[in-house]
Amino acid sequence: MSHPIQWCRQAFPPASKWHPEDIPDLSGQIVLVTGGNSGIGFEMIKSLLRKNAKVYLAARSQQKGEEAIRALKEDTGKTAEFLQLDLNDLVAVQRSSQDFAQRESHIDILFINAGIMYPPLDQITAQKYDATFGVNVIGHHLFLRLLYPLLTSPSPLSQSQTSPSRIIWTSSSANLLVNGRLDFSTFTEGPDRRKAGTFDLYGQSKLAQIQLSAYVAKRAAEAGENVVSIAVDPGHIRSDIFRGKKPWYIILYEKFVMYPVSYGVLTPLYAGTAPEALEYNGKYIRPWARPGQPHPSAYDREQQEKLWVWLEEQVKEYL
């Protein structure tokens, strides 16, 4: 089956057999959600709070984060914690991880959820990376590297001390629409980046996230660490991930193909909380909470290692 046809089939999945009400009690669990002030992240936090987790809402804007926390309190009766996180700036990412490490000694579930899609091509990060790849991949890579010791440390409060910590990566079926090989020359400012365009850069960032998820799972297993890493496609969801002016075809796509945000939480929450989802360590789950197949290059160990080495070089001064 061609990758575009596979992408189309994933746009219309069968009804889910799993629902957020199936989440087990999360009392004592420490959960961190990046991009939690709106969209899928906000809805995930709502469900996690209802299941008694202590949840950190990580977002760039303190004002928007606090507004979201107030709305969550009104809806659930419970209060999320705010963590300021600007993935657009590696210095800010470093500062955010230090702040979190002073507040908690362990993470049970890390949702790598924040992301941007189709920002203006002139938009670059503080360190002059492409905005899409910089936020979706480079900023998150540094954040994960700095917080990884908290994922491997023992949980003092969890009722399930032997359960592994989980890293859940919100990827996308857009990984199927690129040629399967990352072009590192497009991730920094220059003619190659502008030639690639925003659509290709977004697809590359989502392929990279699946490669990293699989690679982290393998590294953890080889090191004997009790950490599970799963990449998910949340589905074709109407959220605020789009940046900049939307072209006409995106407006039609949102209206006739996309699902409400409530559908978008199904697959990441399943991966992050369902006991049976642990069998998908290093794998990819598609809508709604079903096993899926990303682009074959996502599981190419040579490409995974090349990406990891490149990212380590970009963030080395912040580690």
Side-chain angles (χ1 to χ4, degrees):
M1 183 186 301
S2 71
H3 301 311
I5 292 175
Q6 187 177 347
W7 177 87
C8 289
R9 288 188 65 179
Q10 290 193 195
F12 304 99
S16 177
K17 297 180 180 180
W18 187 91
H19 303 280
E21 292 77 12
D22 299 324
I23 297 173
D25 179 58
L26 299 176
S27 296
Q29 300 277 310
I30 306 298
V31 184
L32 174 53
V33 182
T34 70
N37 64 294
S38 64
I40 292 173
F42 179 84
E43 292 298 320
M44 283 200 298
I45 292 175
K46 190 182 297 183
S47 293
L48 294 163
L49 288 172
R50 287 172 176 159
K51 292 294 183 173
N52 304 313
K54 182 178 182 181
V55 187
Y56 282 82
L57 183 160
R60 180 176 60 177
S61 168
Q62 183 168 349
Q63 178 183 345
K64 292 181 179 179
E66 291 175 349
E67 290 173 355
I69 288 171
R70 285 194 291 271
L72 288 163
K73 178 67 179 292
E74 291 177 4
D75 194 286
T76 68
K78 299 176 182 178
T79 304
E81 303 288 333
F82 177 70
L83 179 70
Q84 192 154 32
L85 173 63
D86 183 359
L87 291 161
N88 191 65
D89 183 353
L90 298 180
V91 174
V93 172
Q94 182 186 54
R95 185 166 56 245
S96 180
S97 65
Q98 292 169 344
D99 178 18
F100 186 84
Q102 290 176 349
R103 298 160 71 175
E104 301 290 347
S105 62
H106 175 79
I107 302 173
D108 290 284
I109 314 168
L110 171 60
F111 287 97
I112 295 179
N113 169 75
I116 58 174
M117 183 178 188
Y118 306 161
L121 199 55
D122 290 335
Q123 188 174 329
I124 56 176
T125 71
Q127 285 74 35
K128 303 190 184 307
Y129 295 103
D130 171 72
T132 301
F133 203 85
V135 169
N136 296 359
V137 181
I138 302 172
H140 271 129
H141 178 76
L142 176 60
F143 194 56
L144 173 60
R145 287 282 281 107
L146 293 171
L147 291 182
Y148 194 78
L150 277 66
L151 287 155
T152 60
S153 67
S155 174
L157 298 177
S158 173
Q159 294 178 350
S160 182
Q161 298 268 344
T162 60
S163 294
S165 299
R166 305 194 200 193
I167 307 166
I168 309 303
W169 309 68
T170 302
S171 182
S172 165
S173 59
N175 81 87
L176 296 164
L177 300 180
V178 293
N179 65 11
R181 189 165 296 275
L182 301 180
D183 184 351
F184 294 91
S185 70
T186 64
F187 304 149
T188 52
E189 184 54 74
D192 288 345
R193 171 178 170 269
R194 293 182 173 273
K195 183 179 179 180
T198 55
F199 181 85
D200 185 74
L201 287 161
Y202 178 74
Q204 287 194 77
S205 77
K206 293 302 163 179
L207 175 61
Q209 288 179 319
I210 305 172
Q211 290 182 344
L212 288 172
S213 175
Y215 191 65
V216 168
K218 291 176 183 176
R219 283 173 59 97
E222 292 166 357
E225 296 164 341
N226 201 21
V227 176
V228 162
S229 177
I230 304 171
V232 303
D233 168 17
H236 297 225
I237 306 300
R238 289 190 291 272
S239 70
D240 61 354
I241 191 173
F242 294 101
R243 301 293 172 91
K245 186 177 180 180
K246 298 176 184 177
W248 65 268
Y249 58 87
I250 291 295
I251 295 173
L252 291 176
Y253 178 65
E254 283 186 319
K255 184 174 182 180
F256 295 108
V257 178
M258 287 187 164
Y259 294 82
V261 174
S262 58
Y263 283 78
V265 305
L266 293 170
T267 307
L269 283 176
Y270 171 78
T273 67
E276 63 272 23
L278 293 174
E279 67 181 87
Y280 296 110
N281 184 27
K283 299 179 182 178
Y284 173 78
I285 306 179
R286 61 176 173 166
W288 312 113
R290 298 179 299 146
Q293 286 296 325
H295 196 288
S297 65
Y299 296 142
D300 184 316
R301 185 64 182 256
E302 182 178 344
Q303 289 197 47
Q304 293 169 3
E305 290 179 346
K306 183 177 180 181
L307 172 60
W308 184 271
V309 169
W310 185 85
L311 287 169
E312 289 289 281
E313 181 65 25
Q314 311 313 306
V315 305
K316 63 182 181 181
E317 68 179 278
Y318 307 99
L319 294 173

